Amino acid sequence: MKIAHKIATALFTVSLLATAGCASTATKEGTGEFVDDSVITTKVKAAIFNEPTLKTTEINVETFKGTVQLSGFVAQPADIGKAGEVARGVKGVSSVKNDIRVK
């Protein structure tokens, strides 16, 4: 009985540690958040690419906990605002940091 109890305790401890390894912190995403952010990044990239008024492939998109960061270069000042507007329109985006510059 003692051995079974020790094994059960060990398995419980291992499962807690494994679960904690997937949890998020202020600077690190959990597994689920990483997948969600990857999907958001892909959707934002597609939305920007499919926007006919944005004629650039030099916009970079990164997402962390729902916050999208845009960087890179565009030809026209108006394109900076348009890219931010397009990104904000994607489901799952909580905020946008727009660091795009005019080339």
Side-chain angles (χ1 to χ4, degrees):
M1 184 76 168
K2 276 188 165 185
I3 293 175
H5 181 67
K6 286 181 181 181
I7 291 173
T9 302
L11 288 174
F12 178 73
T13 303
V14 168
S15 68
L16 280 179
L17 291 173
T19 302
C22 295
S24 66
T25 65
T27 59
K28 179 180 169 250
E29 294 176 306
T31 305
E33 289 171 323
F34 177 78
V35 171
D36 292 344
D37 285 344
S38 296
V39 170
I40 291 170
T41 296
T42 301
K43 287 182 178 181
V44 170
K45 285 180 179 181
I48 288 172
F49 181 78
N50 290 325
E51 174 56 46
T53 62
L54 294 174
K55 300 191 186 324
T56 183
T57 57
E58 295 184 36
I59 296 176
N60 302 308
V61 180
E62 294 180 31
T63 308
F64 182 73
K65 294 188 175 188
T67 298
V68 171
Q69 181 165 359
L70 302 175
S71 61
F73 299 97
V74 292
Q76 305 294 326
D79 293 345
I80 296 171
K82 186 61 177 179
E85 179 185 320
V86 169
R88 279 185 208 86
V90 173
K91 185 179 177 184
V93 173
S94 59
S95 65
V96 175
K97 293 181 182 178
N98 195 338
D99 294 323
I100 297 174
R101 305 282 181 241
V102 176
K103 199 173 195 180

